[in-house]
Amino acid sequence: FFTTFTFYSGVCLTMRQDLLVALNPEIGSVSTPNLASLHRFLSPASLARFPRDPLSQAQVDSVWAYHKFLSYSNAISAYGLDLACMTIDEYSTIAQYVQFQQYKALFEGFQQHMW
């Protein structure tokens, strides 16, 4: 019922035979690019209009809305931080950490055969 894969690095992965989607890119969560990437595809004017109140869709700039901005506001507030007081630099750093936590939970769940 289980298959073990050994990668060139020596890492072994055991998974169910009927669930051969361990590294499927469709499995995961939303993600925000790092700051360098944001600077590459957003104009300085759009970066300056970083949406600090995501619950008010009227305040989300059209460029950010086009790129499907999701704020992670619940996850950020769990760390005692306030999105309204963040700069784009701070948000980008915190978003990377939140994304790490999301993917860590996905991998841990997979390792425990929770899906």
Side-chain angles (χ1 to χ4, degrees), residues 31-54 59-61 63-65 67-72 76 81-97 99:
S31 60
T32 298
N34 62 27
L35 185 60
S37 294
L38 288 172
H39 280 287
R40 285 177 29 199
F41 72 87
L42 293 175
S43 68
S46 293
L47 286 169
R49 292 190 300 269
F50 167 64
R52 288 180 174 76
D53 184 6
Q59 291 186 0
V60 176
D61 180 65
V63 174
W64 286 92
H67 290 290
K68 309 292 186 221
F69 172 72
L70 296 172
S71 68
Y72 302 117
I76 289 172
L81 303 170
D82 185 7
L83 183 64
C85 300
M86 286 188 177
T87 66
I88 186 65
D89 299 347
E90 293 167 333
Y91 170 77
S92 178
T93 301
I94 296 299
Q96 299 303 307
Y97 181 73
Q99 289 163 186

Side-chain angles (χ1 to χ4, degrees), residues 18-39:
D18 62 334
L19 184 64
L20 297 178
V21 293
L23 302 174
N24 184 343
E26 296 293 326
I27 295 174
S29 183
V30 298
S31 60
T32 298
N34 62 27
L35 185 60
S37 294
L38 288 172
H39 280 287

